[in-house]
Amino acid sequence: QVQLVQSGAEVKKPGASVKVSCKTSGYTFSDFYLHWVRQAPGQGLEWMGWINPNSGGTNFAPKFHGRVTMTRDTYISTAYMELSRLRSDDTAVYYCARDLGYSYGPFDYWGQGSLVSVSS
Amino acid sequence: QSALTQPASVSGSPGQSITISCTGTSSDVGGYKYVSWYQQHPGKAPKLIIYDVSNRPSGISNRFSGSKSGNTASLTISGLQPEDEADYYCNSYSASSILLFGGGTHLTVL
């Protein structure tokens, strides 16, 4: 069965970076784009970007350009999202999600979420 | 690009039907068939319930249906059940290859 298992909770100080992992199983990793979506406490979902696991190509929401990096390790079927220059408003649950439609969505499988807390 | 517009909350009684709207522009909702809907219960990851405007994934009840007219997509839930109480989000592909979420709608089953 398809599974996306994310890394655990992180606590970071403002200005630091965080790297969240998303280990996939149950399907061919390179066949499906992976997206990252975040949700601040009590707020809605916010799309951050995607990575093409086959080519490594990426595309980001404009507000994250310059601060986010998405990478993958095809040998261990794992994707990574790194967010730099963290601010308090980056405190959120970060989800990875598999794309059924080659970057257009929808997101048919989701990770369990990784809480990132940013506080001095 | 702005988030898609959804009502903050809707409510209905068990057995009734409700509709949640998702309004965008011709550059997103109105321009593409790639509109999807997600259900999220507290503390859980979102769950796909409608994709490509009106298609249901395997295992999703036919009480959930989707449609689109112009720049507005809609999710209808018929025969409301207590377990339908959740947050609902629409999502659309948009120009420049980005995706947009709606602000979310909380459904209360009275």
Side-chain angles (χ1 to χ4, degrees):
Chain A
Q1 72 283 22
V2 174
Q3 286 191 306
L4 282 67
V5 179
Q6 299 183 221
S7 48
E10 303 256 18
V11 180
K12 296 291 182 181
K13 293 194 180 302
S17 297
V18 68
K19 190 171 185 177
V20 180
S21 67
C22 173
K23 182 168 179 57
T24 72
S25 61
Y27 72 98
T28 301
F29 179 70
S30 58
D31 283 354
F32 296 85
Y33 283 57
L34 281 169
H35 296 250
W36 290 89
V37 175
R38 76 177 187 178
Q39 186 170 36
Q43 302 301 308
L45 302 174
E46 181 176 29
W47 179 78
M48 298 181 69
W50 55 250
I51 181 167
N52 177 344
N54 187 41
S55 67
T58 55
N59 186 42
F60 308 127
K63 72 175 287 186
F64 296 107
H65 274 284
R67 277 213 304 146
V68 70
T69 305
M70 295 180 186
T71 57
R72 90 291 191 213
D73 184 334
T74 57
Y75 294 102
I76 57 172
S77 301
T78 299
Y80 303 92
M81 186 283 299
E82 183 170 18
L83 190 62
S84 63
R85 302 194 301 278
L86 289 168
R87 307 185 293 254
S88 58
D89 62 358
D90 290 319
T91 294
V93 175
Y94 289 76
Y95 294 101
C96 60
R98 192 183 80 160
D99 189 330
L100 190 57
Y102 302 101
S103 88
Y104 304 131
F107 313 131
D108 61 345
Y109 287 93
W110 294 65
Q112 83 277 18
S114 300
L115 175 62
V116 175
S117 300
V118 183
S119 174
S120 54
Chain B
Q1 287 83 353
S2 302
L4 308 175
T5 300
Q6 298 181 231
S9 63
V10 298
S11 62
S13 299
Q16 288 187 332
S17 295
I18 62 95
T19 297
I20 299 171
S21 61
C22 171
T23 301
T25 69
S26 58
S27 295
D28 39 69
V29 174
Y32 304 94
K33 71 170 186 176
Y34 306 114
V35 176
S36 52
W37 290 88
Y38 301 85
Q39 177 191 63
Q40 186 181 35
H41 287 107
K44 300 294 188 182
K47 177 183 179 180
L48 177 65
I49 56 174
I50 294 289
Y51 69 96
D52 291 355
V53 175
S54 59
N55 293 306
R56 277 188 311 276
S58 174
I60 298 300
S61 170
N62 59 9
R63 297 186 300 104
F64 294 89
S65 62
S67 63
K68 188 179 81 166
S69 176
N71 297 335
T72 298
S74 298
L75 171 71
T76 297
I77 309 173
S78 59
L80 272 178
Q81 298 181 0
E83 58 265 33
D84 297 334
E85 183 160 308
D87 294 325
Y88 292 84
Y89 294 91
C90 61
N91 178 271
S92 174
Y93 178 79
S94 76
S96 304
S97 302
I98 70 169
L99 288 98
L100 297 171
F101 278 102
T105 299
H106 182 73
L107 169 61
T108 300
V109 180
L110 303 168

